[in-house]
Amino acid sequence: MYTLPKIERFNQNVLSKYNIYNSVFITLPFDAIDNTGVLLPLFTDVCENGFKKQKTPKEIVEFFSEKYLHSSNEADKIDLMFRFIQYIERQIVLFDAVEDAAFPVVNNMEGRGSLRDIKEKTDALDKREELIDFLENFNVRTVLTAHPTQFYPGAVLGIINDLTEAIRENNLFSIKQLLAQLGKTPFIKSEKPNPFDEAVSLIWYLENVFYNTSGDMVQYLQKNIFNGDSIQNSLIKLGFWPGGDRDGNPFVTTDITLKVAERLRTSILKCYYIDIRNLKRKLTFSGVDALIVELEYKLYRSVFYSRGEIYITLEEFKLKLNEIKTILIEVHQSLYLDELEALLIKVNLFGFHFATLDIRQNSKIHDAVFKDIFDFYLKSGESVFPENYYELSEEEKFKVLSSAKGALNPDDFQNEMTRLTIESIQAIKLIQEKNGELGANRYIISNNENALNVMETFALIRLSDWENPTVDVVPLFESVDDLLNAHNAMEQLYSNPVYANHLVNRGMKQTIMLGFSDGTKDGGYLMANWSIYKAKEELTAISRKYGIKVIFFDGRGGPPARGGGKTHKFYASLGPKIENNEIQITVQGQTISSNFGTLDSCRYNLENLLSAGVTNQVFNKDQNKLSSDDKEVLGQLSELGYQKYLNFKNHPKFIPYLEQMSTLKYYAKTNIGSRPSKRSKSEKLDFKDLRAIPFVGSWSQLKQNVPGFFGVGSALKHFEDCGQWDKVQNLYDNSMFFKTLLENSMMSLAKSFFPLTAYMKKDPEFGAFWQIIYDEFLETKRLLLKIAGHTELMENYPDGKASIQVREHIVLPLLTIQQYALLRINELNKEKTPDENLIKVYEKIVMRSLFGNTNASRNSA
């Protein structure tokens, strides 16, 4: 029997089931739910027809109220809007669960990009030895971050998990119960989580998804590629930011950092304990039973009675497991060897750390901290720094920093930030003692501008009584200018004898982080992506010159504007001039739950990332090269897009538009994350202080998605107008990198809906500004369809397009309600005596609809 096309599998297993189970809501025994369930489809129709007729959100809401409500006073309208929001929130959860349940059916788990596909291609091309060599040296590292785009509280995430399983089993009774539970469970967090709360939420994914998926993947490769031999390389690594990411988050304290590290260790030991318990039921024969009981006892004490004490070392644990393995092979005919091998693989992957806790801080903070430490040494009379340090040339500063040593005591400093920064370095030491070096061994400098930022941070670490630190200093280059100069900065470091010696101690490896989110915010979509690509080529070349293996760590968000979209295609298209020994990416917010939230989706996406590395370095080695002509065209496109975006960003109405017409300021009021929405505490909005998530998210709430396309249409139009369209067409047809870039931009366009805000074109203050955005949208859409040879956006991804359409249909009433509330807030604020209580009610409507819209998009911020 043939396999149905992907879109048909989606229609049968997602769309049809959603429509069936959605009807169950109306049968639930809740007050007014039947009324809400009947009215909502009518409101959705009124919205759809209203926008087709170019009605405003206010006209749509008022028309619906007059036609369908017994009373159309403001209180009744507000009550109904809140009921609609509650209902739609739960519809989104249902669709998420249905889509998750159908994931392995809609997506071919053994198809292109899978481990099985890798094996079959390897056999066909006779590249087994080459693949084995690659897998012994390659890593995929997914780094979970707690950026505030996950709006579901833990209880709701638990219901989604159970609901997914019930739908997969077609258990209608259980589905009805869970939908009833969903109806009674609050969706809103009563207070902001602290960083430890965020860590606990994300550790759930480590324990329940990544732990088993990673182990299963490596075991498959050992059996089918390595012929049963153990893979010595930790092929899959996990990273973790909650509790360690201090950039702009004053709530991350040293105590929190140490508590998170301890929780990570306890969690992995708990996973091992559960596996040992299961093995104990099987390994009941002589010679191994006593060893298993001993391991169970020591793990139990380490997990449940430890108070920080560990009753077994990692080395002892591995030794005992290997002793059991030997006995099974030599005495018991390898009975249950697979199960034991599965545990050994996980221990090799996760040690006693589970995930590496990264420490991150902003270079601007380091500047102030370093000055404070300089003043301290000057007053103390110690000759660590010369008095004229800040008058020295950069080269002279490097010499001073190279010899800086000390034993700073955080208690000697009154400045809290200085004290916390020194404590964070000391925390790395403590974590390594308990969890092993992989527990915490990276210090990331965000907003890194030059080599001096790195060298001063390196000096801070050595001044913390750590002369030969077992920690990597990782610069994060984000702005267009910093990306342009990144290779020069790294050459300064590579040629410094002290830093070069540090790299020798670190295995001649240097990790460099590149920020897609802030790069796009700074330079626009095309320039950010091309700047990062060029920076990677330059950084690869300079690193190879000095014999250093550079590892790129990409700060990616969910949507294309933040480096998301078809991520694995980017890595498959890099070519030989970009080092690709590891794929390291940040995963955050609702992208964690949508891409890695279930065993199936996690396996699918991890396998695709691994496959991207294999494709680039084994199957398509020396392919995907961009010619000098290709690079010239890409450079021109990026520069044209950059100028268009720069003019737009510098428009006098740019910041006022975001402040007054979008949901930007409401991100700061939501109880979804511990980190503030902007870096500074000033009332005035400064673009430089604005974080990428609320920036991108606000455009997404407007359904304008500016960061994902603005400047693309103007850049392409230049080539069309100059009669050089064939140049960009050839580039699209022959470069996977460029094709992926534009396909991801198409996704941004597909998630845009300008009729929602078309009323703004009549606004006396912002009408012209709105028109600039809309014109660029139309031009980009026209030219992307032209270059792809399509009649509709995303027509080559019919299932993805269908999913977007269903989600957009579900949230259309929410979007309408949100715009109506924003309009009412503006109207009320213009009154002589604004009704503050009513304004607060409408602000609550804006925030509640913001949650639902983001959850429905799954990768909007």
Side-chain angles (χ1 to χ4, degrees), residues 134-141 233 235 509 540 544 548-552 574 578-584 613 616-617:
F134 169 79
L135 292 174
E136 283 288 17
N137 295 282
F138 182 78
N139 302 112
V140 170
R141 185 193 294 244
N233 174 41
L235 194 60
K509 291 183 179 180
T540 298
R544 287 174 179 174
I548 292 157
K549 186 183 285 187
V550 67
I551 296 162
F552 294 118
L574 292 178
I578 292 178
E579 207 73 81
N580 196 26
N581 297 299
E582 296 193 21
I583 291 176
Q584 298 193 9
N616 187 51
Q617 292 198 48

Side-chain angles (χ1 to χ4, degrees), residues 4-147:
L4 291 171
K6 207 170 183 182
I7 183 61
E8 289 188 36
R9 300 201 301 273
F10 176 86
N11 288 336
Q12 283 187 10
N13 295 279
V14 179
L15 188 57
S16 296
K17 284 190 176 183
Y18 169 72
N19 288 330
I20 291 167
Y21 296 137
N22 188 36
S23 64
V24 173
F25 272 118
I26 300 176
T27 68
L28 298 176
F30 298 136
D31 294 337
I33 197 168
D34 54 343
N35 187 39
T36 308
V38 170
L39 288 175
L40 182 57
L42 296 173
F43 183 56
T44 303
D45 287 341
V46 168
C47 291
E48 287 179 342
N49 292 325
F51 287 123
K52 284 177 186 175
K53 295 174 182 175
Q54 300 182 327
K55 301 289 185 184
T56 70
K58 186 179 180 184
E59 289 170 338
I60 288 168
V61 171
E62 288 178 347
F63 171 80
F64 178 82
S65 301
E66 289 170 11
K67 186 170 182 179
Y68 294 105
L69 296 185
H70 298 302
S71 165
S72 59
N73 64 57
E74 192 150 30
D76 288 339
K77 280 192 282 190
I78 287 170
D79 177 63
L80 184 62
M81 281 189 279
F82 273 117
R83 282 194 279 131
F84 279 165
I85 290 168
Q86 290 174 322
Y87 199 96
I88 294 165
E89 282 174 334
R90 286 149 180 81
Q91 285 184 310
I92 293 163
V93 167
L94 175 61
F95 189 76
D96 283 348
V98 172
E99 203 162 41
D100 285 345
F103 191 93
V105 179
V106 174
N107 298 280
N108 185 355
M109 301 294 287
E110 308 298 335
R112 185 182 300 173
S114 67
L115 295 186
R116 179 176 174 178
D117 180 50
I118 290 172
K119 179 189 180 300
E120 290 175 353
K121 281 182 182 174
T122 302
D123 293 341
L125 297 170
D126 194 23
K127 290 197 171 190
R128 183 176 290 264
E129 293 305 315
E130 198 174 340
L131 178 64
I132 287 173
D133 181 62
F134 169 79
L135 292 174
E136 283 288 17
N137 295 282
F138 182 78
N139 302 112
V140 170
R141 185 193 294 244
T142 51
V143 181
L144 306 190
T145 78
H147 292 330

Side-chain angles (χ1 to χ4, degrees), residues 617-632:
Q617 292 198 48
V618 180
F619 300 147
N620 293 348
K621 198 173 183 180
D622 298 326
Q623 295 182 26
N624 292 316
K625 289 181 182 177
L626 290 173
S627 68
S628 56
D629 288 344
D630 291 338
K631 289 182 178 181
E632 187 179 338

Side-chain angles (χ1 to χ4, degrees), residues 193-199 240-246 249-263 357 359 420 423 427 431 674:
N194 64 45
F196 184 72
D197 297 330
E198 292 170 331
F240 208 72
W241 275 17
D245 183 8
R246 293 165 179 254
N249 193 338
F251 306 109
V252 178
T253 63
T254 308
D255 182 55
I256 290 279
T257 301
L258 294 172
K259 276 179 66 181
V260 170
E262 184 175 348
R263 183 61 175 256
L357 184 62
I359 305 297
L420 288 173
E423 283 182 0
I431 293 167
S674 66

Side-chain angles (χ1 to χ4, degrees), residues 354-365:
F354 212 162
T356 300
L357 184 62
D358 290 339
I359 305 297
R360 185 172 78 131
Q361 185 54 279
N362 195 290
S363 67
K364 302 302 181 191
I365 298 295

Side-chain angles (χ1 to χ4, degrees), residues 147 478 514-524 528 532 554-564 586 588 645 691-693 695-696 707 861:
H147 292 330
E478 299 178 85
L514 304 158
F516 282 80
S517 301
D518 284 287
T520 303
K521 175 175 154 268
D522 180 53
I532 289 171
D554 291 334
R556 295 180 180 272
R562 302 190 58 232
T586 53
Q588 57 205 33
Y645 178 76
R691 292 196 173 279
I693 287 172
F695 175 71
V696 174

